[in-house]
Amino acid sequence: MDLNARFKGASAEQVLAFAAETFGNRLAFACSLGLEDVAVVDLLSRLPRAPRIFFLDTGRLNPETYDTLSALRRRYSLPIETYFPRHEAVEAYVNSHGPNAFYQTLELRKACCAIRKLEPLSRALTGADAWITGLRSDQAPTRTGLERFEIDNAHGGILKINPLADWSLEQTWAHVRQHEVPYNRLHDQGFPSIGCAPCTRAVGPGEDIRAGRWWWETPEHKECGLHAKDPSPKTPQETR
Ligand code: SF4
């Protein structure tokens, strides 16, 4: 894509400034409240006009994640919208399969992520021409080769912008510490990557940073589908 050539060597700040200027209110940032994402919030707060910021509340998050949301709200005067799953879909899933059925099969795990994450994401991106993520290319084997600008076919071909694609974990920590950005205190307790509480555990010394996410699955499956290249899988309700 031409934009990747044009912004080769540019900073994350320059990428975000371009995105905000180009897309205005048709740009949105999907903030997971992870380390990278709080760094992006800090970068966005320095722009003359920040884009929409939204957060997906799956209903299964750790208390520390909500504390992070509150701390960010206090620190920055940026509105952060929350999107919840459709309650009918959650009720149907839990009534059919049980509250923790995601441990049983990959299919049930993906169905839970589809209800609690993918559908709310699609709703949050309605009307957007571009969205921002905090993805980094060295976070996971599934993210190797990640570029700063991608076409997101899973969401109608809009532009997906990954300003931290070439940042290292050390660089991300350096930014957060230097600017005293509020972050999830679970990061200090062995949780380099934080998702839903029942699907995230602490990792040990030397373990991969994504090892604690869906730890019962093999590495190539360790994605919830938010960053899939193709259109989202159907939820159980849609396949009936
Ligand atoms: S991470 Fe776990 S609890 Fe969260 S939506 Fe996916 S399967 Fe459900």
Side-chain angles (χ1 to χ4, degrees), residues 104-172:
Q104 293 172 22
T105 65
L106 182 61
E107 190 188 25
L108 283 171
R109 199 277 283 168
K110 288 191 169 179
C112 184
C113 286
I115 291 168
R116 293 181 185 272
K117 295 182 175 181
L118 305 195
E119 188 282 329
L121 175 67
S122 293
R123 218 172 342 118
L125 290 178
T126 301
D129 287 342
W131 65 300
I132 299 164
T133 83
L135 297 182
R136 293 185 302 102
S137 64
D138 70 359
Q139 275 173 320
T142 47
R143 297 179 185 177
T144 303
L146 179 78
E147 295 200 283
R148 281 170 158 173
F149 296 93
E150 302 179 312
I151 297 298
D152 184 0
N153 291 318
H155 296 101
I158 66 175
L159 191 64
K160 185 170 175 181
I161 303 168
N162 310 307
L164 308 190
D166 61 349
W167 278 31
S168 64
L169 180 60
E170 293 71 26
Q171 196 175 353
T172 311

Side-chain angles (χ1 to χ4, degrees), residues 151-221:
I151 297 298
D152 184 0
N153 291 318
H155 296 101
I158 66 175
L159 191 64
K160 185 170 175 181
I161 303 168
N162 310 307
L164 308 190
D166 61 349
W167 278 31
S168 64
L169 180 60
E170 293 71 26
Q171 196 175 353
T172 311
W173 269 116
H175 183 94
V176 166
R177 292 204 167 104
Q178 182 185 349
H179 298 284
E180 298 181 340
V181 182
Y183 65 88
N184 195 321
R185 60 184 182 275
L186 287 175
H187 288 312
D188 296 328
Q189 297 168 32
F191 290 79
S193 175
I194 304 165
C196 291
C199 297
T200 308
R201 66 159 171 78
V203 303
E207 269 193 301
D208 184 83
I209 60 172
R210 296 273 294 178
R213 302 292 298 278
W214 306 290
W215 64 91
W216 63 95
E217 294 178 1
T218 50
E220 68 273 21
H221 291 131

